[in-house]
Amino acid sequence: MAKTFTEELREAAGDQWDRVINHKFTTELAKGDIDRNVLKKYLIQDHRFLDAFVVLLASAIAKARSLDDRIEGCQFLGLITGKENTYFERSFEVLGCDKEERAKIPDQEVTKGFVNLMREKVLRYYSANLSFGPHSEILSVLVVAEWSYLSWGEKVLPITNRDDFLTYEWVDLHSGDYFNGVVAYLRGLLDKEGTLIDDAGKEKCKAAFLRAIQLEEDFFEMAYTA
């Protein structure tokens, strides 16, 4: 049976994909023994590109080919701006990191890299008088972000500590039936684009996919730097 386009992209990521989903951050978070300073740094930086992610996802929804292709994306957008954003706010309160303190903390280079990648793909689409080619690059970045998190979220779910919402809510947001459906939806959109774009377009998707998975690995590593 022929591989889907997203399977081909995942295969191209090779061992780096496995390093991301097996990173020590994921197991330490799930078990609840992660250093609070590591988690605090991770969450502060992760929250920095939430706005760019919302724009990226909204752009994918706006440029989808049909209403059916938009509905699940709209629902997921509501979760990101609702339940997930609320998790960040509650976490910052528990970690004793108010908005004033966070404002004094500079963006890490990997954070800038994520924001730039997301904005670049959105701007490329809107500045190009093309059909759906660059839209597939937007989907490539989204698929990396959500599929990699689903992969590690499902892996650590059985060992997740249920005593602390900082631990289990972040895992729950990235596992389970609903999130599996989100990833299937995003992969389905990109798989469909893979049957419609030319080889040059596929190479651009691959470049975006590989750039995103590199940033995912770098982001976990960043959390452990002094």
Side-chain angles (χ1 to χ4, degrees):
M1 185 175 178
K3 292 184 176 68
T4 65
F5 186 41
T6 54
E7 287 172 338
E8 291 176 359
L9 294 173
R10 156 66 185 87
E11 189 173 88
D15 292 342
Q16 188 163 48
W17 182 275
D18 295 329
R19 290 199 301 272
V20 169
I21 67 171
N22 292 302
H23 197 279
K24 66 179 181 178
F25 178 92
T26 65
T27 52
E28 288 179 3
L29 172 72
K31 290 179 178 179
D33 56 11
I34 192 167
D35 186 291
R36 282 304 189 251
N37 289 324
V38 169
L39 181 58
K40 180 178 177 179
K41 184 173 186 179
Y42 167 90
L43 290 175
I44 289 171
Q45 296 298 319
D46 196 287
H47 191 249
R48 292 284 170 85
F49 53 79
L50 186 62
D51 182 59
F53 182 85
V54 166
V55 174
L56 188 76
L57 178 57
S59 298
I61 294 167
K63 297 301 179 179
R65 294 177 181 269
S66 68
L67 176 61
D68 286 344
D69 286 347
R70 293 188 177 98
I71 290 174
E72 287 189 67
C74 290
Q75 294 167 343
F76 182 47
L77 187 60
L79 183 144
I80 294 294
T81 57
K83 189 174 182 180
E84 183 164 320
N85 189 55
T86 299
Y87 166 83
F88 279 111
E89 293 173 351
R90 291 163 54 227
S91 297
F92 292 144
E93 183 177 353
V94 168
L95 292 169
C97 186
D98 60 24
K99 185 177 293 187
E100 183 177 341
E101 179 185 349
R102 299 198 305 274
K104 297 176 183 177
I105 299 172
D107 290 348
Q108 294 289 310
E109 287 303 312
V110 66
T111 307
K112 295 176 185 177
F114 259 127
V115 171
N116 290 339
L117 175 61
M118 294 176 192
R119 289 177 176 170
E120 173 189 310
K121 296 310 170 187
V122 171
L123 289 173
R124 172 169 158 72
Y125 187 88
Y126 284 102
S127 64
N129 293 318
L130 302 173
S131 55
F132 288 88
H135 171 253
S136 58
E137 294 174 52
I138 290 175
L139 289 170
S140 297
V141 176
L142 288 170
V143 165
V144 170
E146 304 313 313
W147 192 10
S148 66
Y149 267 57
L150 172 67
S151 298
W152 72 253
E154 289 289 336
K155 181 179 69 70
V156 302
L157 188 60
I159 62 169
T160 298
N161 186 323
R162 293 284 160 182
D163 296 330
D164 185 354
F165 84 88
L166 287 170
T167 290
Y168 69 79
E169 284 194 18
W170 195 239
V171 174
D172 289 349
L173 282 166
H174 299 102
S175 60
D177 291 343
Y178 174 74
F179 196 58
N180 268 278
V182 168
V183 173
Y185 156 75
L186 292 171
R187 287 186 61 193
L189 292 181
L190 184 53
D191 285 335
K192 180 161 59 176
E193 293 302 314
T195 68
L196 300 171
I197 58 178
D198 60 17
D199 288 343
K202 289 180 180 179
E203 282 301 310
K204 290 175 182 175
C205 287
K206 179 180 175 181
F209 192 97
L210 296 180
R211 185 174 162 194
I213 197 64
Q214 178 66 63
L215 287 166
E216 292 289 357
E217 183 176 16
D218 292 346
F219 197 81
F220 281 148
E221 288 295 311
M222 171 277 301
Y224 289 88
T225 59

